[in-house]
Amino acid sequence: MIAFVIAVIVGASLLLLLMVVTSKSHKEVNVNNKQGKRKNNNAIIKEATKKLTHDPRNIPALTALGDIYFNAQEYVKALPMYKNLCEQVGVHQEIDEKTVYLRYGICAFKTNMIDESGSALAKVLKIEPNNFDANFYIGKVLYAKKEYEKTIACMKRAAVTNGENQEVHQMLAFSLYQAKKFRESLPYLKKVCEETPGNKEALFYMASAMEEAGMADKALKIFMHLRPDPIYGAQSCLAAGSYHAKIQQPDKAIQDFEIGLKLEGVDPELKVSLLYKLAQTLIAQNQISKALLQLKQINNLHPNYKDVPALISRYQELAQNSNLQAYLMSGTSDFVALCRKFIAAFHADAFVKIEDISVAADSIEILCSIQSARWENTELFRFFRSTSSVGELYVRELHSKMRDIKCDKGCCVTAGSYTEEAKKYAEGRPIDLIEKAKLVSVLKKIELM
């Protein structure tokens, strides 16, 4: 038994030693092969360079150098070799026309010579329309030129030849997205995300395509996942915040925009968009002071951006007058209560009895009876929450309703102004037109009451 165990141990030791020796031998062979190939290439380069010194258009020397540099992905060095060979196509029959044009096109693309690359690759496609490399690289050229429809056609031809190539899948997905074929791009983008899980660009495009295709709820999950990303985070925060604001979730929207603004290296235009959306959301929440801070930041970064100067002017005043702020921005019930207080302050020396209240989309109407020591009236007040000009048509409508209900007097109140036509119509009629200045004056009295 002991002898058997010893034999097994010795056998295992010999097998292990053999494996180590074999592995070392293979490594030495590989190293020797690489060194030999390097020495061989150096010799070829030296010999070919010597030939080109005497004959700059020597075909075998250009071909040899081109092969070595191209296979080593030294495209800058390979480029002039293939350019020289392309110039001699048709003169020397031994030149492989398809190969030199293809390699010149690839080298030109790799060295950012987009137009030259496209011209060379187009010649390859005339020779062999279904050549994979030519279709693939000319598709990349067209993508760089933003000719997305043509890129799609090239990538689809490339996919027929090599349908498993991941780069083809990505180029096809991105081209469809850039061509605004959002729904068609989705299966390709999904495939790219499965093949390369860390591809944030593909993930962002997929979320954007989902949003455009009416799947905003699914897109939102991806945008929220991408919020911390240094490249796509700010755009994702803007998209997520805009959607949260749209579905009446302002707290989440504010959080999205604030996350985007905390990221480093955000594009200035994108930062301004985030600030503007944040300001709009804060205004909708009546957080005027915070909104003003965002608006002033925008004005510093981008003077005269959209309506920012007007918004700053407007909301600075609102920040200083809580009643005017309530007049323009409060909920319906609070606005009605404020309008009732306005009428009481407007007729401070009389007894006011509210008869009827009517709420419309752009205004509210309050019918009331007024009794003072010397007179008694029925009056119809119409309150507009707009800061723009109120036209003649609205004043005419008020007067017409006054006649229908046999009202003694009418009163239009706005935080804006009235057009000249509206003022002329009111002249000689029992209608008071109260503009912003008078409105603010009465609202100040309410603060004292």
Side-chain angles (χ1 to χ4, degrees):
M1 184 66 182
I2 294 172
F4 176 76
V5 171
I6 292 171
V8 170
I9 293 172
V10 171
S13 299
L14 289 172
L15 180 61
L16 180 62
L17 180 62
L18 181 62
M19 289 173 66
V20 170
V21 170
T22 304
S23 175
K24 185 176 179 181
S25 176
H26 284 165
K27 286 181 180 177
E28 288 174 352
V29 169
N30 288 335
V31 169
N32 290 335
N33 285 341
K34 287 181 180 178
Q35 288 176 345
K37 188 175 182 181
R38 192 178 298 116
K39 286 179 182 179
N40 190 38
N41 282 347
N42 288 337
I44 294 171
I45 291 170
K46 185 176 179 180
E47 180 65 24
T49 303
K50 185 178 178 181
K51 288 181 181 178
L52 290 174
T53 302
H54 299 289
D55 178 12
R57 299 175 75 80
N58 185 290
I59 304 302
L62 289 168
T63 302
L65 286 177
D67 284 345
I68 290 171
Y69 292 142
F70 186 85
N71 291 329
Q73 298 183 4
E74 295 185 43
Y75 301 111
V76 173
K77 291 182 180 180
L79 181 72
M81 305 303 156
Y82 288 112
K83 182 178 181 182
N84 198 329
L85 288 167
C86 287
E87 291 169 354
Q88 299 185 70
V89 167
V91 178
H92 296 275
Q93 297 300 318
E94 67 268 30
I95 296 175
D96 185 342
E97 181 179 358
K98 183 185 74 175
T99 300
V100 297
Y101 278 129
L102 177 62
R103 290 190 171 186
Y104 176 64
I106 293 172
C107 290
F109 178 81
K110 295 288 187 179
T111 53
N112 205 32
M113 297 169 60
I114 302 300
D115 291 333
E116 291 85 346
S117 175
S119 298
L121 294 168
K123 291 176 182 177
V124 178
L125 290 177
K126 285 184 179 179
I127 300 168
E128 187 181 331
N130 292 321
N131 183 284
F132 172 79
D133 288 321
N135 277 300
F136 178 71
Y137 278 100
I138 204 167
K140 283 193 153 190
V141 167
L142 293 165
Y143 188 87
K145 291 183 172 185
K146 299 183 179 181
E147 296 182 29
Y148 302 119
E149 293 287 352
K150 292 180 180 178
T151 305
I152 293 166
C154 289
M155 290 302 163
K156 284 185 175 180
R157 285 197 297 270
V160 170
T161 309
N162 187 353
E164 300 303 314
N165 189 290
Q166 292 185 6
E167 283 192 88
V168 172
H169 298 161
Q170 177 166 302
M171 288 300 301
L172 189 52
F174 287 8
S175 302
L176 287 164
Y177 172 81
Q178 297 290 1
K180 302 189 185 305
K181 296 184 176 184
F182 300 114
R183 193 170 291 277
E184 189 179 346
S185 73
L186 282 171
Y188 294 98
L189 287 166
K190 184 180 179 182
K191 190 175 185 66
V192 173
C193 289
E194 290 170 350
E195 292 173 341
T196 54
N199 193 328
K200 299 295 179 65
E201 185 177 14
L203 196 59
F204 177 77
Y205 285 169
M206 186 164 74
S208 299
M210 283 178 172
E211 185 179 35
E212 294 289 346
M215 294 178 273
D217 52 337
K218 293 181 180 178
L220 179 62
K221 294 177 182 178
I222 301 175
F223 285 134
M224 291 185 72
H225 170 73
L226 287 171
R227 287 187 306 180
D229 186 76
I231 299 174
Y232 298 100
Q235 291 172 279
S236 298
C237 287
L238 183 62
S242 299
Y243 185 69
H244 276 136
K246 183 179 178 181
I247 61 175
Q248 303 300 313
Q249 294 183 0
D251 291 341
K252 290 183 178 180
I254 290 169
Q255 183 184 49
D256 293 329
F257 299 136
E258 288 179 341
I259 290 171
L261 290 166
K262 288 176 183 175
L263 295 171
E264 294 182 3
V266 177
D267 177 78
E269 289 294 326
L270 186 53
K271 184 175 182 179
V272 168
S273 296
L274 283 164
L275 286 167
Y276 188 76
K277 284 284 189 178
L278 176 57
Q280 286 183 316
T281 309
L282 289 167
I283 288 169
Q285 292 301 103
N286 290 334
Q287 298 184 44
I288 303 303
S289 298
K290 289 184 179 180
L292 276 170
L293 292 175
Q294 317 310 317
L295 293 169
K296 288 176 180 177
Q297 277 195 66
I298 295 170
N299 211 39
N300 290 334
L301 293 169
H302 195 316
N304 300 316
Y305 179 79
K306 293 187 177 180
D307 58 344
V308 167
L311 290 174
I312 290 174
S313 175
R314 177 184 181 187
Y315 289 110
Q316 273 181 331
E317 183 178 7
L318 291 183
Q320 297 166 4
N321 189 325
S322 59
N323 276 355
L324 181 59
Q325 183 178 326
Y327 183 89
L328 288 169
M329 305 181 68
S330 63
T332 303
S333 59
D334 290 336
F335 180 52
V336 170
L338 183 60
C339 292
R340 293 179 66 151
K341 289 182 180 179
F342 177 92
I343 297 171
F346 191 72
H347 289 297
D349 297 330
F351 173 76
V352 177
K353 181 182 178 182
I354 304 299
E355 303 289 350
D356 187 40
I357 298 175
S358 175
V359 179
D362 58 349
S363 64
I364 71 163
E365 287 182 350
I366 299 179
L367 178 64
C368 52
S369 57
I370 314 294
Q371 294 180 1
S372 74
R374 293 174 295 175
W375 52 268
E376 183 177 334
N377 269 340
T378 56
E379 296 187 7
L380 181 62
F381 283 79
R382 179 178 285 183
F383 294 89
F384 293 97
R385 303 184 83 172
S386 170
T387 56
S388 57
S389 294
V390 177
E392 177 188 354
L393 177 62
Y394 294 100
V395 181
R396 281 182 177 274
E397 286 178 354
L398 178 70
H399 188 240
S400 176
K401 188 165 185 178
M402 287 167 54
R403 287 201 308 264
D404 292 342
I405 63 175
K406 297 181 171 54
C407 184
D408 299 313
K409 188 178 179 181
C411 187
C412 269
V413 184
T414 180
S417 59
Y418 296 94
T419 63
E420 289 302 315
E421 292 78 8
K423 290 176 181 179
K424 285 180 182 178
Y425 182 82
E427 288 177 3
R429 292 183 172 87
I431 300 173
D432 286 339
L433 299 182
I434 297 177
E435 296 181 305
K436 179 182 174 182
K438 179 66 174 175
L439 169 65
V440 171
S441 174
V442 176
L443 290 175
K444 285 181 179 178
K445 293 178 183 178
I446 294 173
E447 288 179 348
L448 298 175
M449 292 174 62

